[in-house]
Amino acid sequence: MTAHARHVVPPAHPAPPVLEVRGATLTYRSGAVAVIALHPLDLTVAPGEMVCVAGPSGSGKSTLCHLAAGFERPTHGQVLVNGQAAHEVCDWSTVASVPQQLGLLPELTVGQNIALPAARAGQTWDGRPDLLAEWGLTGLADRLVGEVSMGEQQRTALARAVVLTPALVVLDEPTGHQDDDNVERVLRAVIAATRRGSGVLVSAHDDRVLAAADRVVRLEDGVVRRPAH
């Protein structure tokens, strides 16, 4: 157990889940062959809860993240965010994600990338020195994202994901480009996002991320094998 492991007392009247995965499957075709990427799966994430999806490469972790973020539609079943089909949600204040490819805009600076959800929502960006400091990006706001390291780019994408305190944050391997010190920084910031009320679905190999989660769901070949605690 790490210093980030949490013991959460359930509320007397639990809020409805922000993410509901109901019997969702995903099948795609490879030539004439139908490949099942995800077998029927049920999962919920509550407000203020961090749920980690673990498993070997190819187990379906990224597939589940893509469904939750609305990048793909389930072949069968439902994936709902605040009661709405995830693929129909276009509001960064409802669901925000950080895929492994990060999705940063190279023509924008670090600060402009972080501010993008706020700008699209018609909100004023004041530089948010608190957010920059939380993610270890102080002094980098005016640099183009191509001028900073991969670890700093990943933290820029993470800061962008939480800037509007969305109902659901979906993170696919959020510590993949981080050194040990910055893994700890990322975990602190993600836990802070849950304390502000966001539900977090995160895929990870890193045992430190698993230890920080409220629940862990383990996948293998697109099938839930066993939940931990």
Side-chain angles (χ1 to χ4, degrees):
M1 182 174 295
T2 73
H4 296 292
R6 297 184 293 156
H7 300 279
V8 179
V9 177
H13 301 286
V18 295
L19 174 66
E20 296 177 86
V21 181
R22 300 175 178 173
T25 71
L26 186 67
T27 303
Y28 64 90
R29 301 205 69 83
S30 178
V33 178
V35 178
I36 302 175
L38 197 69
H39 292 264
L41 185 146
D42 296 296
L43 176 72
T44 61
V45 178
E49 182 183 34
M50 177 178 171
V51 177
C52 187
V53 183
S57 296
S59 62
K61 301 190 305 297
S62 291
T63 297
L64 179 57
C65 286
H66 291 171
L67 289 172
F71 298 156
E72 297 189 70
R73 299 175 63 168
T75 306
H76 299 289
Q78 292 180 300
V79 180
L80 306 176
V81 179
N82 276 355
Q84 183 179 0
H87 68 272
E88 295 177 352
V89 176
C90 300
D91 181 358
W92 281 73
S93 67
T94 301
V95 59
S97 66
V98 180
Q100 291 188 35
Q101 296 79 14
L102 303 183
L104 297 172
L105 298 183
E107 68 273 20
L108 300 184
T109 65
V110 167
Q112 288 168 336
N113 268 282
I114 295 172
L116 195 58
R120 288 180 172 174
Q123 299 182 15
T124 301
W125 168 258
D126 61 2
R128 290 290 302 276
D130 59 324
L131 189 64
L132 292 170
E134 182 176 44
W135 292 99
L137 299 170
T138 300
L140 301 180
D142 295 329
R143 293 191 191 180
L144 291 172
V145 292
E147 298 174 347
V148 301
S149 71
M150 280 302 300
E152 290 162 343
Q153 289 180 34
Q154 187 173 43
R155 297 200 304 279
T156 297
L158 290 162
R160 179 187 61 186
V162 302
V163 68
L164 293 181
T165 313
L168 176 68
V169 183
V170 181
L171 307 177
D172 195 355
E173 300 287 354
T175 60
H177 297 294
Q178 306 302 316
D179 58 25
D180 286 345
D181 288 344
N182 281 306
V183 167
E184 296 298 312
R185 184 192 300 275
V186 166
L187 287 175
R188 287 195 299 270
V190 171
I191 289 171
T194 68
R195 289 173 177 159
R196 291 190 289 266
S198 295
V200 175
L201 178 70
V202 55
S203 77
H205 289 95
D206 193 322
D207 287 341
R208 291 167 292 183
V209 181
L210 273 60
D214 297 304
R215 286 189 288 128
V216 176
V217 174
R218 298 187 183 274
L219 291 179
E220 185 176 337
D221 295 329
V223 176
V224 175
R225 290 305 186 194
R226 69 175 178 87
H229 66 95

Short mmCIF file of all heavy atoms in Angstrom, two decimals, residues 91-157:
data_model
loop_
_atom_site.label_atom_id
_atom_site.label_comp_id
_atom_site.label_asym_id
_atom_site.label_seq_id
_atom_site.Cartn_x
_atom_site.Cartn_y
_atom_site.Cartn_z
N ASP A 91 -19.27 17.56 -24.52
CA ASP A 91 -19.06 18.62 -23.54
C ASP A 91 -17.90 18.25 -22.64
O ASP A 91 -17.96 17.25 -21.91
CB ASP A 91 -20.35 18.80 -22.74
CG ASP A 91 -20.26 19.90 -21.70
OD1 ASP A 91 -19.19 20.51 -21.57
OD2 ASP A 91 -21.26 20.13 -21.00
N TRP A 92 -16.82 19.05 -22.66
CA TRP A 92 -15.64 18.77 -21.84
C TRP A 92 -15.94 18.85 -20.35
O TRP A 92 -15.18 18.31 -19.54
CB TRP A 92 -14.53 19.74 -22.18
CG TRP A 92 -13.78 19.41 -23.43
CD1 TRP A 92 -14.23 19.54 -24.71
CD2 TRP A 92 -12.45 18.89 -23.53
NE1 TRP A 92 -13.26 19.13 -25.59
CE2 TRP A 92 -12.16 18.74 -24.90
CE3 TRP A 92 -11.48 18.55 -22.58
CZ2 TRP A 92 -10.94 18.26 -25.35
CZ3 TRP A 92 -10.26 18.08 -23.04
CH2 TRP A 92 -10.00 17.93 -24.41
N SER A 93 -17.01 19.54 -19.97
CA SER A 93 -17.35 19.60 -18.55
C SER A 93 -18.09 18.34 -18.11
O SER A 93 -18.27 18.12 -16.91
CB SER A 93 -18.20 20.84 -18.24
OG SER A 93 -19.48 20.74 -18.85
N THR A 94 -18.50 17.51 -19.07
CA THR A 94 -19.14 16.24 -18.73
C THR A 94 -18.14 15.10 -18.77
O THR A 94 -18.04 14.30 -17.83
CB THR A 94 -20.30 15.94 -19.70
OG1 THR A 94 -21.26 17.01 -19.61
CG2 THR A 94 -20.99 14.63 -19.35
N VAL A 95 -17.40 14.98 -19.86
CA VAL A 95 -16.37 13.93 -19.95
C VAL A 95 -15.14 14.50 -20.65
O VAL A 95 -15.25 15.17 -21.68
CB VAL A 95 -16.91 12.67 -20.68
CG1 VAL A 95 -17.39 12.99 -22.08
CG2 VAL A 95 -15.83 11.59 -20.72
N ALA A 96 -13.99 14.27 -20.05
CA ALA A 96 -12.70 14.67 -20.63
C ALA A 96 -11.78 13.47 -20.57
O ALA A 96 -11.87 12.65 -19.66
CB ALA A 96 -12.11 15.85 -19.86
N SER A 97 -10.89 13.37 -21.55
CA SER A 97 -10.04 12.19 -21.61
C SER A 97 -8.62 12.55 -22.01
O SER A 97 -8.37 13.59 -22.62
CB SER A 97 -10.61 11.18 -22.61
OG SER A 97 -10.55 11.70 -23.92
N VAL A 98 -7.71 11.65 -21.64
CA VAL A 98 -6.32 11.73 -22.09
C VAL A 98 -5.98 10.38 -22.69
O VAL A 98 -5.67 9.43 -21.96
CB VAL A 98 -5.35 12.09 -20.95
CG1 VAL A 98 -3.92 12.16 -21.49
CG2 VAL A 98 -5.74 13.42 -20.31
N PRO A 99 -6.04 10.26 -24.02
CA PRO A 99 -5.63 9.00 -24.65
C PRO A 99 -4.11 8.87 -24.65
O PRO A 99 -3.39 9.83 -24.32
CB PRO A 99 -6.16 9.15 -26.08
CG PRO A 99 -6.16 10.63 -26.32
CD PRO A 99 -6.48 11.26 -24.99
N GLN A 100 -3.62 7.72 -25.01
CA GLN A 100 -2.17 7.53 -25.03
C GLN A 100 -1.50 8.46 -26.03
O GLN A 100 -0.35 8.86 -25.84
CB GLN A 100 -1.84 6.07 -25.33
CG GLN A 100 -2.21 5.12 -24.20
CD GLN A 100 -1.71 3.71 -24.43
OE1 GLN A 100 -0.64 3.50 -24.99
NE2 GLN A 100 -2.47 2.73 -23.98
N GLN A 101 -2.22 8.85 -27.09
CA GLN A 101 -1.65 9.75 -28.09
C GLN A 101 -1.72 11.22 -27.67
O GLN A 101 -1.23 12.10 -28.38
CB GLN A 101 -2.37 9.58 -29.44
CG GLN A 101 -2.21 8.20 -30.07
CD GLN A 101 -3.13 7.15 -29.45
OE1 GLN A 101 -4.07 7.48 -28.72
NE2 GLN A 101 -2.85 5.89 -29.72
N LEU A 102 -2.35 11.50 -26.53
CA LEU A 102 -2.43 12.80 -25.86
C LEU A 102 -3.39 13.78 -26.54
O LEU A 102 -4.13 14.49 -25.88
CB LEU A 102 -1.05 13.45 -25.70
CG LEU A 102 -0.02 12.61 -24.93
CD1 LEU A 102 1.28 13.39 -24.79
CD2 LEU A 102 -0.55 12.19 -23.57
N GLY A 103 -3.36 13.90 -27.88
CA GLY A 103 -4.31 14.76 -28.56
C GLY A 103 -4.06 16.25 -28.37
O GLY A 103 -5.00 17.06 -28.48
N LEU A 104 -2.83 16.65 -28.12
CA LEU A 104 -2.51 18.07 -27.99
C LEU A 104 -2.45 18.71 -29.37
O LEU A 104 -2.13 18.06 -30.37
CB LEU A 104 -1.18 18.25 -27.27
CG LEU A 104 -1.12 17.75 -25.83
CD1 LEU A 104 0.31 17.81 -25.30
CD2 LEU A 104 -2.06 18.54 -24.93
N LEU A 105 -2.71 20.02 -29.44
CA LEU A 105 -2.62 20.76 -30.69
C LEU A 105 -1.24 21.39 -30.79
O LEU A 105 -0.89 22.26 -29.99
CB LEU A 105 -3.70 21.82 -30.76
CG LEU A 105 -5.15 21.30 -30.72
CD1 LEU A 105 -6.14 22.44 -30.85
CD2 LEU A 105 -5.38 20.27 -31.82
N PRO A 106 -0.41 20.96 -31.75
CA PRO A 106 0.99 21.41 -31.78
C PRO A 106 1.16 22.89 -32.07
O PRO A 106 2.20 23.46 -31.73
CB PRO A 106 1.60 20.55 -32.90
CG PRO A 106 0.44 20.14 -33.75
CD PRO A 106 -0.71 20.00 -32.82
N GLU A 107 0.16 23.53 -32.68
CA GLU A 107 0.28 24.96 -32.98
C GLU A 107 -0.02 25.83 -31.78
O GLU A 107 0.16 27.06 -31.85
CB GLU A 107 -0.65 25.33 -34.14
CG GLU A 107 -2.14 25.24 -33.84
CD GLU A 107 -2.75 23.85 -34.07
OE1 GLU A 107 -1.98 22.87 -34.11
OE2 GLU A 107 -3.98 23.78 -34.21
N LEU A 108 -0.46 25.22 -30.68
CA LEU A 108 -0.79 25.97 -29.47
C LEU A 108 0.29 25.79 -28.41
O LEU A 108 1.02 24.80 -28.41
CB LEU A 108 -2.13 25.52 -28.91
CG LEU A 108 -3.36 25.67 -29.80
CD1 LEU A 108 -4.62 25.25 -29.05
CD2 LEU A 108 -3.49 27.10 -30.33
N THR A 109 0.35 26.73 -27.50
CA THR A 109 1.28 26.63 -26.37
C THR A 109 0.72 25.69 -25.32
O THR A 109 -0.43 25.26 -25.39
CB THR A 109 1.50 28.01 -25.73
OG1 THR A 109 0.26 28.44 -25.15
CG2 THR A 109 1.99 29.04 -26.74
N VAL A 110 1.56 25.40 -24.33
CA VAL A 110 1.10 24.59 -23.19
C VAL A 110 -0.13 25.23 -22.55
O VAL A 110 -1.16 24.57 -22.33
CB VAL A 110 2.25 24.44 -22.17
CG1 VAL A 110 1.72 23.90 -20.84
CG2 VAL A 110 3.35 23.54 -22.71
N GLY A 111 -0.05 26.52 -22.27
CA GLY A 111 -1.17 27.21 -21.63
C GLY A 111 -2.42 27.22 -22.49
O GLY A 111 -3.53 27.04 -21.99
N GLN A 112 -2.24 27.42 -23.79
CA GLN A 112 -3.39 27.45 -24.69
C GLN A 112 -4.05 26.08 -24.81
O GLN A 112 -5.27 25.98 -24.90
CB GLN A 112 -2.96 27.95 -26.07
CG GLN A 112 -2.65 29.43 -26.10
CD GLN A 112 -1.95 29.85 -27.39
OE1 GLN A 112 -1.30 29.04 -28.06
NE2 GLN A 112 -2.09 31.12 -27.74
N ASN A 113 -3.25 25.02 -24.81
CA ASN A 113 -3.82 23.67 -24.82
C ASN A 113 -4.63 23.42 -23.56
O ASN A 113 -5.74 22.88 -23.63
CB ASN A 113 -2.71 22.63 -24.97
CG ASN A 113 -2.42 22.26 -26.41
OD1 ASN A 113 -3.16 21.49 -27.03
ND2 ASN A 113 -1.36 22.84 -26.96
N ILE A 114 -4.08 23.80 -22.41
CA ILE A 114 -4.79 23.59 -21.15
C ILE A 114 -6.09 24.38 -21.13
O ILE A 114 -7.13 23.92 -20.65
CB ILE A 114 -3.91 23.98 -19.95
CG1 ILE A 114 -2.70 23.03 -19.86
CG2 ILE A 114 -4.71 23.94 -18.65
CD1 ILE A 114 -1.68 23.47 -18.84
N ALA A 115 -6.05 25.59 -21.70
CA ALA A 115 -7.21 26.49 -21.66
C ALA A 115 -8.28 26.13 -22.67
O ALA A 115 -9.39 26.67 -22.61
CB ALA A 115 -6.74 27.92 -21.92
N LEU A 116 -7.99 25.21 -23.59
CA LEU A 116 -8.91 24.95 -24.70
C LEU A 116 -10.32 24.59 -24.25
O LEU A 116 -11.30 25.15 -24.78
CB LEU A 116 -8.32 23.87 -25.59
CG LEU A 116 -8.95 23.69 -26.98
CD1 LEU A 116 -8.88 24.99 -27.77
CD2 LEU A 116 -8.24 22.58 -27.73
N PRO A 117 -10.51 23.68 -23.29
CA PRO A 117 -11.89 23.39 -22.87
C PRO A 117 -12.60 24.61 -22.31
O PRO A 117 -13.80 24.81 -22.58
CB PRO A 117 -11.71 22.31 -21.79
CG PRO A 117 -10.39 21.68 -22.10
CD PRO A 117 -9.54 22.80 -22.61
N ALA A 118 -11.90 25.43 -21.55
CA ALA A 118 -12.51 26.64 -20.99
C ALA A 118 -12.87 27.61 -22.10
O ALA A 118 -13.95 28.22 -22.09
CB ALA A 118 -11.55 27.30 -19.99
N ALA A 119 -11.99 27.76 -23.10
CA ALA A 119 -12.26 28.66 -24.21
C ALA A 119 -13.49 28.21 -24.99
O ALA A 119 -14.35 29.02 -25.38
CB ALA A 119 -11.04 28.75 -25.13
N ARG A 120 -13.59 26.89 -25.22
CA ARG A 120 -14.74 26.37 -25.96
C ARG A 120 -16.03 26.52 -25.17
O ARG A 120 -17.12 26.59 -25.75
CB ARG A 120 -14.50 24.91 -26.31
CG ARG A 120 -13.46 24.73 -27.41
CD ARG A 120 -13.23 23.27 -27.75
NE ARG A 120 -12.36 23.13 -28.92
CZ ARG A 120 -11.91 21.97 -29.37
NH1 ARG A 120 -12.24 20.83 -28.77
NH2 ARG A 120 -11.13 21.93 -30.44
N ALA A 121 -15.92 26.59 -23.84
CA ALA A 121 -17.10 26.79 -23.00
C ALA A 121 -17.40 28.27 -22.77
O ALA A 121 -18.32 28.60 -22.02
CB ALA A 121 -16.89 26.09 -21.65
N GLY A 122 -16.63 29.15 -23.41
CA GLY A 122 -16.85 30.58 -23.27
C GLY A 122 -16.36 31.15 -21.96
O GLY A 122 -16.78 32.24 -21.56
N GLN A 123 -15.45 30.44 -21.30
CA GLN A 123 -14.92 30.91 -20.02
C GLN A 123 -13.57 31.59 -20.22
O GLN A 123 -12.83 31.27 -21.15
CB GLN A 123 -14.77 29.74 -19.05
CG GLN A 123 -16.07 29.05 -18.72
CD GLN A 123 -15.89 27.92 -17.71
OE1 GLN A 123 -14.87 27.83 -17.04
NE2 GLN A 123 -16.88 27.06 -17.59
N THR A 124 -13.26 32.51 -19.35
CA THR A 124 -12.00 33.24 -19.42
C THR A 124 -10.91 32.43 -18.74
O THR A 124 -11.09 31.91 -17.64
CB THR A 124 -12.12 34.61 -18.74
OG1 THR A 124 -13.15 35.35 -19.39
CG2 THR A 124 -10.81 35.38 -18.84
N TRP A 125 -9.76 32.32 -19.41
CA TRP A 125 -8.59 31.63 -18.85
C TRP A 125 -7.67 32.69 -18.25
O TRP A 125 -7.21 33.59 -18.94
CB TRP A 125 -7.89 30.85 -19.95
CG TRP A 125 -6.52 30.34 -19.61
CD1 TRP A 125 -5.34 30.86 -20.00
CD2 TRP A 125 -6.21 29.20 -18.81
NE1 TRP A 125 -4.29 30.12 -19.51
CE2 TRP A 125 -4.80 29.09 -18.78
CE3 TRP A 125 -6.97 28.25 -18.13
CZ2 TRP A 125 -4.14 28.08 -18.09
CZ3 TRP A 125 -6.31 27.25 -17.44
CH2 TRP A 125 -4.92 27.17 -17.42
N ASP A 126 -7.36 32.57 -16.97
CA ASP A 126 -6.53 33.58 -16.31
C ASP A 126 -5.10 33.09 -16.07
O ASP A 126 -4.35 33.68 -15.29
CB ASP A 126 -7.16 34.00 -14.98
CG ASP A 126 -7.30 32.84 -13.99
OD1 ASP A 126 -6.87 31.72 -14.35
OD2 ASP A 126 -7.82 33.06 -12.90
N GLY A 127 -4.73 32.02 -16.76
CA GLY A 127 -3.37 31.50 -16.57
C GLY A 127 -3.28 30.40 -15.53
O GLY A 127 -2.35 29.61 -15.56
N ARG A 128 -4.23 30.38 -14.59
CA ARG A 128 -4.32 29.34 -13.56
C ARG A 128 -2.96 28.88 -13.03
O ARG A 128 -2.56 27.74 -13.22
CB ARG A 128 -5.09 28.14 -14.10
CG ARG A 128 -6.57 28.36 -14.30
CD ARG A 128 -7.31 28.49 -13.00
NE ARG A 128 -7.13 27.33 -12.15
CZ ARG A 128 -7.86 26.22 -12.25
NH1 ARG A 128 -8.80 26.12 -13.17
NH2 ARG A 128 -7.65 25.21 -11.43
N PRO A 129 -2.22 29.78 -12.37
CA PRO A 129 -0.92 29.35 -11.83
C PRO A 129 -1.04 28.19 -10.86
O PRO A 129 -0.11 27.38 -10.74
CB PRO A 129 -0.40 30.62 -11.14
CG PRO A 129 -1.59 31.50 -10.95
CD PRO A 129 -2.52 31.19 -12.08
N ASP A 130 -2.19 28.07 -10.17
CA ASP A 130 -2.37 26.95 -9.25
C ASP A 130 -2.40 25.63 -10.00
O ASP A 130 -1.80 24.63 -9.58
CB ASP A 130 -3.67 27.13 -8.45
CG ASP A 130 -4.91 27.23 -9.34
OD1 ASP A 130 -4.81 27.82 -10.44
OD2 ASP A 130 -5.98 26.72 -8.95
N LEU A 131 -3.10 25.60 -11.16
CA LEU A 131 -3.18 24.38 -11.95
C LEU A 131 -1.83 24.04 -12.57
O LEU A 131 -1.41 22.88 -12.58
CB LEU A 131 -4.24 24.54 -13.03
CG LEU A 131 -4.60 23.28 -13.82
CD1 LEU A 131 -5.23 22.23 -12.92
CD2 LEU A 131 -5.55 23.63 -14.97
N LEU A 132 -1.13 25.05 -13.06
CA LEU A 132 0.20 24.83 -13.64
C LEU A 132 1.14 24.25 -12.58
O LEU A 132 1.90 23.31 -12.85
CB LEU A 132 0.76 26.13 -14.20
CG LEU A 132 0.04 26.70 -15.43
CD1 LEU A 132 0.54 28.11 -15.72
CD2 LEU A 132 0.25 25.80 -16.64
N ALA A 133 1.08 24.78 -11.37
CA ALA A 133 1.96 24.29 -10.30
C ALA A 133 1.58 22.87 -9.90
O ALA A 133 2.45 22.03 -9.65
CB ALA A 133 1.87 25.23 -9.10
N GLU A 134 0.28 22.58 -9.85
CA GLU A 134 -0.18 21.25 -9.45
C GLU A 134 0.38 20.17 -10.37
O GLU A 134 0.72 19.08 -9.93
CB GLU A 134 -1.71 21.21 -9.47
CG GLU A 134 -2.31 19.89 -9.02
CD GLU A 134 -3.82 19.94 -8.97
OE1 GLU A 134 -4.46 20.48 -9.91
OE2 GLU A 134 -4.39 19.43 -7.99
N TRP A 135 0.51 20.49 -11.65
CA TRP A 135 0.98 19.53 -12.64
C TRP A 135 2.45 19.70 -13.00
O TRP A 135 2.94 19.06 -13.94
CB TRP A 135 0.12 19.60 -13.91
CG TRP A 135 -1.28 19.12 -13.66
CD1 TRP A 135 -2.38 19.88 -13.42
CD2 TRP A 135 -1.72 17.76 -13.61
NE1 TRP A 135 -3.48 19.09 -13.22
CE2 TRP A 135 -3.11 17.78 -13.33
CE3 TRP A 135 -1.08 16.53 -13.77
CZ2 TRP A 135 -3.86 16.62 -13.20
CZ3 TRP A 135 -1.83 15.38 -13.66
CH2 TRP A 135 -3.20 15.43 -13.37
N GLY A 136 3.18 20.56 -12.28
CA GLY A 136 4.60 20.73 -12.53
C GLY A 136 4.90 21.43 -13.84
O GLY A 136 5.90 21.13 -14.50
N LEU A 137 4.06 22.40 -14.21
CA LEU A 137 4.20 23.08 -15.50
C LEU A 137 4.48 24.57 -15.34
O LEU A 137 4.41 25.33 -16.32
CB LEU A 137 2.93 22.87 -16.34
CG LEU A 137 2.61 21.42 -16.68
CD1 LEU A 137 1.21 21.31 -17.28
CD2 LEU A 137 3.65 20.85 -17.64
N THR A 138 4.80 25.00 -14.14
CA THR A 138 5.11 26.41 -13.91
C THR A 138 6.25 26.86 -14.81
O THR A 138 7.27 26.19 -14.93
CB THR A 138 5.49 26.63 -12.43
OG1 THR A 138 4.38 26.23 -11.61
CG2 THR A 138 5.82 28.09 -12.16
N GLY A 139 6.06 28.00 -15.46
CA GLY A 139 7.09 28.55 -16.34
C GLY A 139 7.04 28.02 -17.77
O GLY A 139 7.83 28.46 -18.61
N LEU A 140 6.11 27.10 -18.05
CA LEU A 140 6.05 26.49 -19.39
C LEU A 140 4.84 26.94 -20.19
O LEU A 140 4.69 26.52 -21.35
CB LEU A 140 6.04 24.97 -19.27
CG LEU A 140 7.22 24.31 -18.55
CD1 LEU A 140 7.04 22.80 -18.53
CD2 LEU A 140 8.53 24.67 -19.24
N ALA A 141 3.98 27.78 -19.64
CA ALA A 141 2.70 28.09 -20.27
C ALA A 141 2.86 28.69 -21.67
O ALA A 141 2.02 28.46 -22.54
CB ALA A 141 1.89 29.04 -19.39
N ASP A 142 3.94 29.45 -21.90
CA ASP A 142 4.09 30.14 -23.18
C ASP A 142 4.91 29.36 -24.20
O ASP A 142 5.18 29.85 -25.30
CB ASP A 142 4.73 31.52 -22.96
CG ASP A 142 3.83 32.44 -22.15
OD1 ASP A 142 2.60 32.32 -22.27
OD2 ASP A 142 4.36 33.29 -21.40
N ARG A 143 5.31 28.15 -23.87
CA ARG A 143 6.07 27.34 -24.82
C ARG A 143 5.12 26.50 -25.68
O ARG A 143 4.11 25.98 -25.19
CB ARG A 143 7.02 26.40 -24.08
CG ARG A 143 8.14 27.11 -23.34
CD ARG A 143 9.17 26.09 -22.89
NE ARG A 143 10.13 26.66 -21.96
CZ ARG A 143 11.13 25.98 -21.42
NH1 ARG A 143 11.29 24.69 -21.71
NH2 ARG A 143 11.97 26.57 -20.59
N LEU A 144 5.47 26.33 -26.94
CA LEU A 144 4.73 25.39 -27.77
C LEU A 144 4.91 23.99 -27.20
O LEU A 144 5.97 23.67 -26.64
CB LEU A 144 5.24 25.44 -29.21
CG LEU A 144 4.95 26.72 -30.00
CD1 LEU A 144 5.69 26.69 -31.33
CD2 LEU A 144 3.44 26.89 -30.23
N VAL A 145 3.90 23.14 -27.36
CA VAL A 145 3.99 21.82 -26.74
C VAL A 145 5.14 20.99 -27.32
O VAL A 145 5.69 20.13 -26.63
CB VAL A 145 2.66 21.04 -26.84
CG1 VAL A 145 1.60 21.68 -25.98
CG2 VAL A 145 2.19 20.92 -28.29
N GLY A 146 5.52 21.28 -28.57
CA GLY A 146 6.65 20.57 -29.16
C GLY A 146 7.99 20.96 -28.57
O GLY A 146 9.01 20.30 -28.85
N GLU A 147 8.01 22.00 -27.76
CA GLU A 147 9.24 22.49 -27.16
C GLU A 147 9.46 21.98 -25.73
O GLU A 147 10.43 22.35 -25.09
CB GLU A 147 9.25 24.02 -27.15
CG GLU A 147 9.20 24.64 -28.54
CD GLU A 147 9.05 26.15 -28.53
OE1 GLU A 147 8.74 26.73 -27.47
OE2 GLU A 147 9.23 26.75 -29.60
N VAL A 148 8.54 21.15 -25.24
CA VAL A 148 8.67 20.60 -23.90
C VAL A 148 8.80 19.08 -24.00
O VAL A 148 8.54 18.48 -25.05
CB VAL A 148 7.49 21.00 -22.99
CG1 VAL A 148 7.38 22.51 -22.89
CG2 VAL A 148 6.17 20.40 -23.49
N SER A 149 9.19 18.45 -22.91
CA SER A 149 9.44 17.00 -22.92
C SER A 149 8.13 16.22 -23.05
O SER A 149 7.03 16.76 -22.86
CB SER A 149 10.14 16.59 -21.63
OG SER A 149 9.25 16.67 -20.53
N MET A 150 8.25 14.91 -23.35
CA MET A 150 7.06 14.07 -23.43
C MET A 150 6.33 14.00 -22.10
O MET A 150 5.10 13.99 -22.05
CB MET A 150 7.44 12.66 -23.88
CG MET A 150 7.64 12.51 -25.38
SD MET A 150 6.17 12.99 -26.35
CE MET A 150 4.94 11.84 -25.73
N GLY A 151 7.09 13.95 -21.00
CA GLY A 151 6.45 13.95 -19.69
C GLY A 151 5.65 15.22 -19.46
O GLY A 151 4.53 15.19 -18.93
N GLU A 152 6.22 16.37 -19.86
CA GLU A 152 5.52 17.64 -19.71
C GLU A 152 4.33 17.72 -20.65
O GLU A 152 3.28 18.28 -20.29
CB GLU A 152 6.50 18.79 -19.94
CG GLU A 152 7.51 18.91 -18.81
CD GLU A 152 8.75 19.71 -19.19
OE1 GLU A 152 9.01 19.92 -20.40
OE2 GLU A 152 9.48 20.12 -18.27
N GLN A 153 4.45 17.15 -21.84
CA GLN A 153 3.30 17.11 -22.74
C GLN A 153 2.17 16.28 -22.14
O GLN A 153 0.99 16.66 -22.21
CB GLN A 153 3.72 16.52 -24.09
CG GLN A 153 4.60 17.43 -24.92
CD GLN A 153 4.98 16.79 -26.25
OE1 GLN A 153 4.22 16.05 -26.83
NE2 GLN A 153 6.18 17.09 -26.72
N GLN A 154 2.51 15.15 -21.55
CA GLN A 154 1.47 14.32 -20.95
C GLN A 154 0.80 15.05 -19.79
O GLN A 154 -0.43 15.01 -19.66
CB GLN A 154 2.06 13.00 -20.47
CG GLN A 154 1.00 12.02 -19.99
CD GLN A 154 1.56 10.64 -19.68
OE1 GLN A 154 2.62 10.53 -19.07
NE2 GLN A 154 0.87 9.60 -20.11
N ARG A 155 1.57 15.75 -18.98
CA ARG A 155 0.97 16.50 -17.87
C ARG A 155 0.15 17.67 -18.37
O ARG A 155 -0.84 18.07 -17.74
CB ARG A 155 2.06 16.93 -16.88
CG ARG A 155 2.76 15.75 -16.22
CD ARG A 155 3.47 16.11 -14.94
NE ARG A 155 4.45 17.16 -15.07
CZ ARG A 155 5.70 16.99 -15.53
NH1 ARG A 155 6.11 15.79 -15.92
NH2 ARG A 155 6.53 18.00 -15.59
N THR A 156 0.52 18.24 -19.52
CA THR A 156 -0.31 19.28 -20.14
C THR A 156 -1.68 18.71 -20.52
O THR A 156 -2.72 19.32 -20.24
CB THR A 156 0.39 19.84 -21.40
OG1 THR A 156 1.62 20.46 -21.02
CG2 THR A 156 -0.48 20.85 -22.12
N ALA A 157 -1.68 17.54 -21.13
CA ALA A 157 -2.94 16.90 -21.50
C ALA A 157 -3.77 16.56 -20.27
O ALA A 157 -5.01 16.70 -20.28
CB ALA A 157 -2.67 15.64 -22.33
#
